[in-house]
Amino acid sequence: MSRPFKIEIAESEEELKKRLQTANLGNQKEKLIMLWWIKSGQVKEQQEIGKRLAKDTSTVTRWLQKYRTDGLSGLLEIKKAPGAKRKIDDAAIAALEEELKTGKGFSSYGEIVEWLKHQHKLDIEYATVYAWVRYRLGAKLKVPRPQSHKQDEKLVSEFKKNSAPFSTV
């Protein structure tokens, strides 16, 4: 039989029960259940908690130590990795947005890659540029459809003027 442990749970049973009902993540629920069991006197040993939760006693010890030092908020804290550093800096993004807003714009994403290389000294892959421009900035490269050099502008304007607007019947 392991030695009994002493820990003072600051929260009330009702508060722990309420937090347990609103908890979304399984890991948080396990920690809240552990505290509720201790507060209500259902468990007296760390080994018993480990068996009930199917966790190693070292995990239970780590959780209780975290609760002792940081309280309930520290125990339930979810750590998130910071993620990778952006490949395009804020100044380049702002300049790219301005360039896309101008009338001339770019004719291809490859042209944007080259523009970033020359203007901002950034060597960025095509796929990254495409994702930034298309999805994050929400821009589309608009290039007019090619027109024949043989086309008579007078006839085109005449056609547009005389053609009836499209209507659904």
Side-chain angles (χ1 to χ4, degrees):
M1 188 167 170
S2 66
R3 65 184 180 150
F5 67 99
K6 294 182 181 170
I7 185 167
E8 192 65 35
I9 308 296
E11 293 77 21
S12 66
E13 280 186 59
E14 294 80 27
E15 185 181 342
L16 290 171
K17 216 172 196 179
K18 188 180 277 188
R19 296 278 301 257
L20 183 60
Q21 290 172 346
T22 59
N24 295 333
L25 302 173
N27 194 14
Q28 287 181 338
K29 286 184 179 185
E30 289 176 335
K31 293 172 183 178
L32 287 166
I33 287 172
M34 173 188 72
L35 294 176
W36 182 69
W37 285 339
I38 294 169
K39 185 69 175 184
S40 63
Q42 294 181 31
V43 293
K44 303 286 184 209
E45 300 172 347
Q46 282 182 297
Q47 284 182 327
E48 189 177 348
I49 296 170
K51 284 180 184 176
R52 282 186 173 194
L53 292 175
K55 299 284 183 193
D56 190 57
T57 52
S58 63
T59 302
V60 175
T61 303
R62 194 174 62 249
W63 287 354
L64 291 172
Q65 189 63 36
K66 186 74 172 167
Y67 179 76
R68 281 187 188 107
T69 58
D70 300 334
L72 184 62
S73 60
L75 178 67
L76 299 179
E77 179 185 15
I78 301 168
K79 294 181 181 174
K80 188 172 183 230
K85 188 180 156 226
R86 271 204 234 169
K87 294 182 179 186
I88 305 176
D89 59 355
D90 291 334
I93 292 169
L96 179 60
E97 274 187 295
E98 287 301 315
E99 195 68 25
L100 287 168
K101 286 179 185 175
T102 63
K104 62 176 186 170
F106 298 100
S107 61
S108 70
Y109 293 101
E111 191 178 318
I112 297 174
V113 170
E114 291 300 315
W115 181 82
L116 287 169
K117 196 178 289 183
H118 293 295
Q119 296 290 325
H120 296 279
K121 309 290 188 261
L122 295 173
D123 190 23
I124 300 172
E125 295 177 7
Y126 179 94
T128 305
V129 169
Y130 178 81
W132 265 97
V133 172
R134 185 72 179 94
Y135 301 113
R136 292 198 181 178
L137 299 178
K140 293 181 183 176
L141 301 182
K142 295 182 175 93
V143 179
R145 292 183 182 170
Q147 293 181 351
S148 172
H149 66 280
K150 299 176 184 176
Q151 200 173 45
D152 185 9
E153 290 183 33
K154 190 175 181 184
L155 289 174
V156 171
S157 64
E158 186 75 25
F159 174 77
K160 286 181 182 177
K161 188 173 22 172
N162 293 333
S163 64
F166 180 75
S167 63
T168 56
V169 178

